[in-house]
């Protein structure tokens, strides 16, 4: 493999508290050197990163790759290309496939497919319960040995608190975190958007903030009780933030993530009944959004994750009530957060990189998240000046379901390097 | 819109006389007021019909039934209009079946308004006959329609507009010939 | 004068001037309804499609009569409405209607925003005949027409809307319309049947009839559905009736001669006592007639002219 020399970029690596102009030398699949006044070895590929940000590869710890079972929405091949295009070097894929990833067979299938057709690193999540039914624990030991990095029934909550308790306790012996989709299905009551003024105006069934907060509270209590490791997926309300803050201040073992759309968009967008705004948890009013941003800035929420949920066009081209939940997020996530939060100065570059690389790697115990010499050569280079209009028809993902079509975003990923191999350059995925 | 006035062809006094003459003609032709009803076409046909009613009452001591007709929904040019004409109320508080209907309008031009009015009247009942009274007949007919009572025949060009103005709507009784702007010319 | 819009999706989008224009056009239309020959040729050669995903004899019939009286042809298109077996998608249906040459499509659908969805897909005018819990604009227009006809004005009058406000598109459309026209609107119902932030729409909220009906000029009673009780929103129909049935006694709380409206169909003896529904102050039958007139006016104003 050709050596790669990244020249002139502003290297921001929160794992080493670095933020300065440095050269990066990659040899093989490792970071060989990081420093000033390095010179490229003969024959090295030289990437000029002047004016750009060089960061440890971004890890999206919440992605739905849909394979096996829903290949019309996304496949491992298309989903990982979307990831590469979006600046991600690793994705963590959720277990709500068909069949559900609750057994070694499905996990092995995903890993094999990812090895053959994937463009970035793929880390599968195993189901918490058999068939994600929320009733009986899945064979967690088997899943652990098959190489899952976490457990989750994401897409559905584990409604039964006793099942959740046992899973948290049991998963401890494998040191696997449980990623919890916090939603009380009874309170959610068939809702399709946030319950509030906008749902009243639009005459759509609402999902109250309480539907999430009740489950966040339960999970925090169970995490404290069991000592299990819990990660709260896609938090969306100010109340969840308050609960999380309190729990963390008492040292409970919990981490949490927030999506770019919950950080940047509000339920005002539902006004046109664009089904691409239909997502679970739903877009919330601005006071919730602001609380999430603040929590991210303060490090109470440690991770940004897309909850990339691709759907086929005809599935979204329906009545709002009937359309499935989800936003195709991989290819807009990074510029959206940069445009909405980083460039206006609300979130620093290093805070963003910590939340999208350093922290997910630490929470899941997977390679990456650092540019330290000797670590895997996963690198994301961002061009903070590049401005482009979102065009979902040009997505690598099969899921064109984004509410951002036509938005001008600034700060696009310029280069994605996975294990010392350039997989994306200037928005083009390199086959 | 104030178009340039080319001529004032009738003043209040002349209009009064015209209406009196038409009233006499109506009474003469119909041999009195038996079964007679007056129906004005909105808008200016309505005050004109009211005046005829009053004149006939003064002459005969009989108040002839009076109605007003809005023909908007019967127009044949709706699909060509970009501005929708305002629909107004048709008020004919009596049965017109077997009545002699005097339809009153200000100007007879292409005949299309009268055509619409005839259709509208037929939908309301089966009159014994329908007669047409107008203040001005300006020619340029596009349909086989003629008036039974005419105040004045005024040959006009298509570059002109006839404006019958009445006290009740315009604040003055007079008839003007005005020049149309270039783009609005034609029937 | 025309409505400067392709579609009528809700009252929320209308200006007071547009509402006035519709109400003023409906007056002459009502005159036509009193004739022996209830038909004018205005919409000859136009096709009005009635796309009803929810059964609704009243609204559908009213629109159908309105279209026919105006001289248009009508086609009924009532796809099976179960959400489990949906059959053809709304988008595909829309394309079929376009191909049939529809000039206007009236849609009734159980899902909020369905009319907006259709309007985006179709070149034809779309009239919302009720979409989920969102809006039912023609019902509000006929309610306002009825009130204005009886009381002479909308400005300054007090209207109480009573019952299941949460699920009611009729309530929402009436709230938008009446507040735009300067009326004072109250909603009366149990907290479980009031939508969140409803007061932000400019209404006063009352839980009890005894307070909400005090001195109002109009009472608009909504239909209560048994299904709401089954979903646990109130304990029993018996208790609901105790609290919210409009009785002759409760009617006395309103101003003398106050109007009683109901969008129908009525649950006799449940939300309203028969003696009130059939009483002197009830204008429920007039609402039906006025509904046809208002819909005639809308069809004229939306598809009566050129493109």
């Amino acid at each position: 493999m050709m050596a790669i020399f990244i020249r002139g970029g502003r290297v921001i690596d929160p794992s080493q508290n670095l933020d300065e102009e440095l050269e990066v030398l990659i040899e093989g699949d490792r970071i060989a050197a990081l420093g000033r006044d390095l010179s490229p070895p003969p024959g090295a590929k030289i990437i000029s990163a002047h004016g750009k940000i060089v960061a440890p590869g971004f890890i999206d710890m919440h992605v739905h790759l849909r394979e096996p079972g829903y290949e019309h929405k996304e496949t491992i091949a298309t989903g990982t290309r979307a990831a590469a295009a979006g600046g991600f070097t690793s994705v963590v894929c959720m277990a709500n496939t068909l069949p559900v990833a609750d057994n070694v067979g499905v996990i092995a299938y995903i890993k094999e497919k990812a090895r053959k057709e994937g463009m970035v690193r793929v880390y599968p999540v195993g189901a918490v319960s058999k068939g994600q039914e929320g009733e009986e624990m899945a064979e967690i030991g088997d899943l652990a040995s098959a190489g899952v990095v976490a457990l989750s029934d994401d897409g559905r909550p584990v409604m039964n608190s006793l099942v959740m308790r046992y899973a948290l306790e049991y998963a401890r012996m494998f040191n696997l975190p449980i990623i919890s989709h916090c939603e009380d299905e009874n309170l959610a009551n068939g809702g399709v958007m946030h319950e509030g003024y906008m749902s009243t105006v639009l005459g759509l069934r609402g999902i109250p903030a309480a539907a999430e907060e009740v489950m966040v509270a339960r999970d925090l209590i169970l995490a404290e009780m069991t000592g299990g490791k819990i990660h709260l997926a896609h938090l969306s309300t100010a109340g969840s933030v308050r609960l999380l803050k309190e729990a963390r201040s008492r040292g409970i073992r919990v981490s949490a993530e927030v999506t770019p759309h919950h950080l940047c968009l509000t339920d005002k967008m539902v006004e046109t009944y664009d089904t691409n705004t239909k997502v679970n948890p739903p877009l919330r009013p601005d006071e919730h959004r602001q609380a999430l941003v603040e929590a991210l800035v303060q490090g109470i929420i440690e991770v940004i994750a897309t909850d990339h949920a691709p759907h086929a066009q005809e599935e979204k081209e329906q009545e709002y009530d009937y359309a499935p939940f989800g936003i195709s997020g991989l290819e807009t996530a990074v510029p959206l957060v940069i445009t909405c939060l980083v460039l206006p100065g609300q979130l620093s570059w290093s805070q963003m990189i910590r939340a999208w690389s350093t922290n997910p790697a630490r929470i899941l115990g997977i390679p990456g998240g650092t540019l330290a010499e000797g670590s895997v050569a996963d690198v994301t280079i961002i061009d903070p000046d590049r401005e482009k209009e979102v065009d979902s028809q040009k997505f690598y993902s099969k899921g064109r379901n984004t509410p951002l079509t036509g938005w001008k975003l600034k700060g696009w990923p310029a280069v994605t390097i996975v294990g010392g191999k350039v997989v994306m350059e200037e928005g083009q995925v390199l086959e | 819109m104030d178009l340039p006035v080319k001529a004032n062809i009738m003043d209040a006094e002349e209009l009064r006389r015209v209406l009196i003459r038409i009233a006499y003609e109506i009474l003469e032709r119909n041999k009195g007021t038996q079964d007679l009803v007056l129906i004005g076409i909105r808008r200016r046909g309505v005050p004109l019909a009211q005046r005829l009613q009053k004149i006939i009452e003064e002459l005969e001591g009989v108040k002839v039934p009076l109605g007003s007709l809005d023909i908007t929904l019967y127009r044949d040019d709706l699909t060509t209009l970009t501005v929708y004409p305002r629909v107004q109320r048709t008020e004919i508080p009596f049965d017109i079946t077997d009545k002699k209907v005097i339809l009153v309008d200000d100007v007879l031009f292409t005949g299309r308004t009268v055509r619409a009015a005839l259709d509208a009247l037929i939908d309301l009942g089966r009159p014994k006959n329908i007669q047409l009274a107008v203040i001005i007949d300006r020619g340029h007919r596009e349909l086989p329609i003629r008036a039974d009572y005419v105040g004045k025949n005024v040959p006009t060009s298509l570059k002109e507009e006839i404006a019958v103005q009445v006290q009740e709507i315009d604040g003055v009784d007079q008839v003007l010939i005005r020049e149309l702007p270039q783009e609005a010319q034609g029937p | 004068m025309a409505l400067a819009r392709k579609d009528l999706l809700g009252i929320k989008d209308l200006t007071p001037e547009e509402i006035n224009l519709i109400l003023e056009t409906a007056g002459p239309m009502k005159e036509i309804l009193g004739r022996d020959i209830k038909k004018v040729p205005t919409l000859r050669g136009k096709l009005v499609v009635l796309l009803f995903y929810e059964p609704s004899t009243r609204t559908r019939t009213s629109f159908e009569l309105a279209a026919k009286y105006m001289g248009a042809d009508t086609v009924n298109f009532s796809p099976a409405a179960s959400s489990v077996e949906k059959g053809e998608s709304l988008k595909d249906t829309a394309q079929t209607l376009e191909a049939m040459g529809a000039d206007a499509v009236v849609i009734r659908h159980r899902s909020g925003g369905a009319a907006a969805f259709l309007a985006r897909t179709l070149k034809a005018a779309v009239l919302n005949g009720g979409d989920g819990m969102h809006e039912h604009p023609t019902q509000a227009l006929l309610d306002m027409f009825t009130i204005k006809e009886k009381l002479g004005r909308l400005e300054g009058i007090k209207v109480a809307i009573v019952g299941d406000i949460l699920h009611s598109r009729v309530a929402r459309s009436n709230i938008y319309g009446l507040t735009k026209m300067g009326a004072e609107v109250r909603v009366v119902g149990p907290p479980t049947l009031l939508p969140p932030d409803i007061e932000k729409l400019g209404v006063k909220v009352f839980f009890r009839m005894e307070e909400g009906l005090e001195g109002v000029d109009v009472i608009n009673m909504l239909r209560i559905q048994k299904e709401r009780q089954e979903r646990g929103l109130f304990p029993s129909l018996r208790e609901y009736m105790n609290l919210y049935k409009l009785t002759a006694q409760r009617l006395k709380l309103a101003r003398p001669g106050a109007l009683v409206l109901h969008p129908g169909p009525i649950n006799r003896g449940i939300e309203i006592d028969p003696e009130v529904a059939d009483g002197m102050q009830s204008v429920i039958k007039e609402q039906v007639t006025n509904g046809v007139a208002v819909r005639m006016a809308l069809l004229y104003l939306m598809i009566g002219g050129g493109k």
Side-chain angles (χ1 to χ4, degrees):
Chain A
M1 213 186 293
M2 194 194 288
I4 298 172
F5 189 74
I6 305 168
R7 169 181 279 164
R10 175 179 165 194
V11 174
I12 304 178
D13 179 3
S15 76
Q16 309 179 71
N17 280 321
L18 274 182
D19 181 355
E20 55 188 294
E21 203 171 293
L22 292 172
E23 263 86 55
V24 184
L25 176 64
I26 296 168
E27 281 173 343
D29 65 351
R30 298 280 147 178
I31 305 284
L34 193 65
R36 252 180 276 265
D37 306 322
L38 296 181
S39 45
K45 175 183 168 69
I46 297 187
I47 295 175
S48 167
H50 294 278
K52 294 178 184 150
I53 309 282
V54 179
F58 279 26
I59 298 165
D60 189 344
M61 70 175 287
H62 195 138
V63 162
H64 297 271
L65 290 180
R66 303 298 191 202
E67 192 174 358
Y70 302 102
E71 288 85 354
H72 65 289
K73 296 175 193 269
E74 192 81 288
T75 62
I76 288 166
T78 57
T80 55
R81 274 160 184 76
F88 296 96
T89 55
S90 299
V91 294
V92 175
C93 62
M94 286 297 162
N96 58 343
T97 48
L98 184 70
V100 168
D102 62 357
N103 63 75
V104 175
V106 176
I107 301 298
Y109 175 86
I110 293 169
K111 292 190 109 175
E112 178 61 12
K113 271 277 204 178
R115 192 183 59 77
K116 279 205 235 148
E117 298 168 14
M119 204 32 97
V120 302
R121 299 179 201 270
V122 174
Y123 296 101
V125 169
V128 173
S129 65
K130 285 177 188 146
Q132 292 191 318
E133 301 282 339
E135 285 161 14
E136 277 177 60
M137 238 189 286
E139 290 169 321
I140 292 173
D142 264 13
L143 290 169
S145 58
V148 302
V149 294
L151 301 166
S152 182
D153 276 0
D154 184 69
R156 303 179 64 181
V158 178
M159 275 302 290
N160 185 325
S161 303
L162 184 60
V163 173
M164 191 61 158
R165 174 204 169 158
Y166 288 154
L168 278 165
E169 285 176 340
Y170 193 81
R172 280 184 69 188
M173 68 173 142
F174 308 103
N175 200 27
L176 282 175
I178 290 184
I179 302 176
S180 178
H181 168 119
C182 296
E183 178 186 6
D184 183 308
E185 285 179 326
N186 296 316
L187 280 173
N189 197 21
V192 297
M193 68 175 293
H194 173 71
E195 178 181 308
Y197 174 75
M198 285 308 296
S199 68
T200 292
V201 167
L202 296 172
L204 292 173
R205 265 177 186 281
I207 303 172
E212 174 173 307
E213 290 154 2
V214 161
M215 287 299 256
V216 167
R218 181 203 73 172
D219 285 349
L220 292 170
I221 290 163
L222 291 177
E224 181 168 24
M225 172 193 180
T226 60
K229 192 171 165 188
I230 202 156
H231 175 80
L232 305 176
H234 44 55
L235 290 188
S236 71
T237 82
S240 297
V241 168
R242 276 195 301 275
L243 291 163
L244 176 65
K245 190 172 178 179
E246 189 272 343
R248 285 175 63 98
S249 74
R250 291 192 298 109
I252 298 171
R253 213 150 72 122
V254 56
S255 57
E257 70 189 30
V258 60
T259 70
H261 47 270
H262 290 114
L263 287 170
C264 302
L265 311 179
T266 67
D267 64 344
K268 186 90 177 68
M269 283 191 77
V270 184
E271 198 156 31
T272 58
Y273 292 101
D274 177 2
T275 54
N276 291 319
T277 63
K278 182 173 172 181
V279 64
N280 190 14
L283 300 179
R284 309 275 188 191
D286 202 53
E287 58 267 28
H288 292 286
R289 188 193 69 83
Q290 284 179 23
L292 295 167
V293 173
E294 199 180 316
L296 180 67
V297 170
Q298 294 174 350
I300 294 162
I301 294 176
E302 295 166 277
V303 172
I304 307 174
T306 62
D307 192 7
H308 175 74
H311 291 290
Q313 197 145 333
E314 67 272 14
E315 293 171 318
K316 277 289 194 180
E317 277 181 346
Q318 293 197 72
E319 295 87 329
Y320 206 88
D321 282 339
Y322 303 153
F325 290 101
I327 289 175
S328 177
L330 280 170
E331 288 168 81
T332 54
V334 171
L336 180 64
V337 169
I338 291 171
T339 305
C340 293
L341 302 178
V342 177
L343 295 178
Q346 278 190 276
L347 184 73
S348 73
W349 286 102
S350 77
Q351 282 166 336
M352 180 184 81
I353 292 162
R354 189 187 296 274
W356 238 332
S357 182
T358 324
N359 288 343
R362 173 179 52 80
I363 289 164
L364 298 171
I366 58 177
T370 178
L371 294 174
E373 285 172 18
S375 57
V376 291
D378 289 1
V379 183
T380 298
I381 303 178
I382 294 164
D383 182 350
D385 297 321
R386 182 154 188 234
E387 198 169 1
K388 203 175 77 176
E389 197 177 298
V390 175
D391 179 0
S392 57
Q393 293 312 309
K394 296 198 176 124
F395 279 4
Y396 285 90
S397 169
K398 285 191 178 182
R400 307 284 155 86
N401 46 306
T402 173
L404 302 174
T405 297
W407 282 42
K408 268 215 169 73
L409 299 179
K410 199 171 173 186
W412 291 77
V415 180
T416 309
I417 300 170
V418 179
K421 183 172 170 249
V422 177
V423 295
M424 185 277 283
E425 219 169 346
E426 297 305 327
Q428 298 299 310
V429 173
L430 308 176
E431 293 295 331
Chain B
M1 110 186 111
D2 279 335
L3 301 172
V5 175
K6 288 176 78 176
N8 185 328
I9 55 168
M10 199 183 281
D11 63 14
E13 190 50 32
E14 285 170 290
L15 179 61
R16 192 181 67 83
R17 281 193 217 108
V18 158
L19 285 166
I20 290 170
R21 173 169 54 77
I22 290 176
Y24 272 114
E25 286 176 14
I26 290 170
L27 292 170
E28 192 181 348
R29 160 104 64 107
N30 294 285
K31 300 184 172 64
T33 57
Q34 183 69 39
D35 292 334
L36 208 59
V37 301
L38 289 162
I39 293 177
I41 300 178
R42 286 196 188 272
R43 289 172 69 202
R44 288 179 181 75
V46 175
L48 292 167
Q50 273 166 1
R51 291 192 205 184
L52 284 171
Q53 183 197 39
K54 201 163 163 241
I55 295 166
I56 290 170
E57 191 181 358
E58 282 161 11
L59 293 173
E60 298 285 304
V62 176
K63 195 163 190 173
V64 172
L66 175 71
S68 56
L69 184 66
D70 183 81
I71 56 105
T72 309
L73 298 173
Y74 291 85
R75 287 174 68 147
D76 63 2
D77 58 352
L78 284 173
T79 52
T80 67
L81 300 175
T82 45
V83 177
Y84 284 44
R86 193 82 172 232
V87 182
Q88 290 178 305
R89 213 172 269 273
T90 288
E91 282 164 311
I92 300 179
F94 46 82
D95 186 1
I96 62 166
T97 298
D98 292 331
K99 294 289 189 295
K100 300 173 191 169
V101 174
I102 312 294
L103 199 56
V104 184
D105 205 0
D106 52 353
V107 180
L108 178 58
F109 184 19
T110 61
R112 288 178 191 269
T113 301
V114 175
R115 196 282 308 160
L118 292 175
D119 282 354
L121 281 179
I122 303 288
D123 278 358
L124 294 172
R126 188 175 184 281
K128 183 172 187 149
N129 60 50
I130 301 174
Q131 302 159 38
L132 175 63
V134 297
I135 302 304
I136 303 290
D137 181 347
R138 60 172 293 192
H140 304 291
R141 212 78 75 241
E142 294 172 358
L143 296 171
I145 280 168
R146 62 164 184 79
D148 299 275
Y149 314 100
V150 178
K152 193 169 189 170
N153 282 293
V154 182
T156 56
S157 113
L158 292 176
K159 294 176 185 158
E160 294 162 344
E161 178 198 73
I162 296 280
V164 174
Q165 300 187 328
V166 293
Q167 190 74 41
E168 294 88 332
I169 293 170
D170 309 289
V172 58
D173 279 349
Q174 62 181 9
V175 179
L176 305 175
I177 299 183
R178 297 192 290 207
E179 188 142 17
L180 282 174
Q182 205 67 30
E183 69 274 12
Q185 287 176 9
Chain C
M1 285 290 274
L3 290 179
R5 53 182 69 251
K6 176 173 95 65
D7 311 297
L8 176 73
L9 303 180
I11 303 288
K12 185 165 188 279
D13 318 324
L14 296 181
T15 63
E17 292 73 32
E18 286 177 300
I19 292 172
N20 265 327
L21 174 65
I22 296 163
L23 300 185
E24 280 166 23
T25 307
M29 299 299 178
K30 194 173 177 184
E31 179 266 320
I32 294 169
L33 295 178
R35 297 180 187 175
D36 288 341
I37 300 174
K38 301 177 190 54
K39 199 171 189 89
V40 292
T42 320
L43 299 182
R44 247 180 338 175
K46 305 260 178 171
L47 177 62
V48 176
V49 175
L50 306 161
L51 178 60
F52 276 62
Y53 284 88
E54 265 187 344
S56 158
T57 315
R58 304 166 72 90
T59 305
R60 191 183 54 69
T61 312
S62 180
F63 263 112
E64 186 164 358
L65 282 176
K68 287 187 162 151
Y69 290 167
M70 292 300 285
D73 292 310
T74 59
V75 168
N76 272 298
F77 208 89
S78 300
S82 109
S83 63
V84 187
E85 202 190 325
K86 279 195 282 101
E88 189 179 54
S89 76
L90 182 52
K91 194 188 174 206
D92 288 336
T93 303
Q95 276 160 3
T96 308
L97 300 178
E98 195 99 276
M100 284 176 181
D103 294 284
V105 179
V106 180
I107 180 173
R108 160 67 65 96
H109 199 292
R110 64 199 305 268
S111 176
F117 179 89
L118 193 68
R120 266 203 303 276
T121 339
L122 278 178
K123 286 194 210 74
V126 173
L127 288 95
N128 185 358
D131 62 332
M133 302 182 283
H134 175 225
E135 282 226 43
H136 192 349
T138 58
Q139 178 70 43
L141 288 164
L142 78 89
D143 289 348
M144 287 191 279
F145 181 86
T146 307
I147 296 167
K148 200 174 176 188
E149 193 179 47
K150 293 284 171 191
L151 302 182
R153 68 198 162 97
L154 292 170
E155 200 176 341
I157 60 157
K158 290 184 187 148
V159 180
I161 305 171
V162 183
D164 180 2
I165 312 292
L166 174 62
H167 299 94
S168 177
R169 52 196 171 211
V170 175
R172 282 173 178 76
S173 289
N174 263 291
I175 290 168
Y176 294 131
L178 288 165
T179 52
K180 273 176 209 268
M181 302 311 282
E184 179 191 315
V185 183
R186 305 173 175 188
V187 294
V188 186
T192 47
L193 292 178
L194 292 168
D197 288 341
I198 184 77
E199 61 285 347
K200 285 191 188 160
L201 300 184
V203 302
K204 291 185 185 162
V205 177
F206 296 87
F207 299 146
R208 306 296 297 261
M209 293 279 264
E210 285 65 27
E211 290 144 25
L213 298 190
E214 187 80 52
V216 298
D217 303 287
V218 177
I219 303 171
N220 199 343
M221 295 300 299
L222 301 174
R223 179 182 166 80
I224 186 73
Q225 293 187 336
K226 183 92 176 73
E227 181 202 338
R228 309 297 176 214
Q229 183 227 317
E230 285 152 10
R231 286 175 157 269
L233 288 155
F234 56 89
S236 68
L237 269 183
R238 199 187 65 81
E239 182 157 316
Y240 183 87
M241 285 156 60
N242 280 343
L243 291 167
Y244 295 103
K245 178 156 65 173
L246 184 62
T247 58
Q249 197 58 34
R250 284 185 170 136
L251 182 54
K252 287 185 188 142
L253 296 164
R255 286 242 318 239
L259 306 178
V260 176
L261 280 72
H262 191 298
I266 299 176
N267 291 309
R268 256 169 203 282
I270 292 179
E271 67 256 357
I272 188 164
D273 253 351
E275 58 170 326
V276 176
D278 302 330
M280 291 291 289
Q281 288 168 259
S282 163
V283 291
I284 297 171
K285 272 186 227 144
E286 297 249 17
Q287 284 177 278
V288 177
T289 312
N290 293 342
V292 179
V294 162
R295 290 173 178 120
M296 288 167 77
L298 280 167
L299 287 172
Y300 167 68
L301 291 168
M302 297 184 70
I303 60 166
K307 300 270 144 105

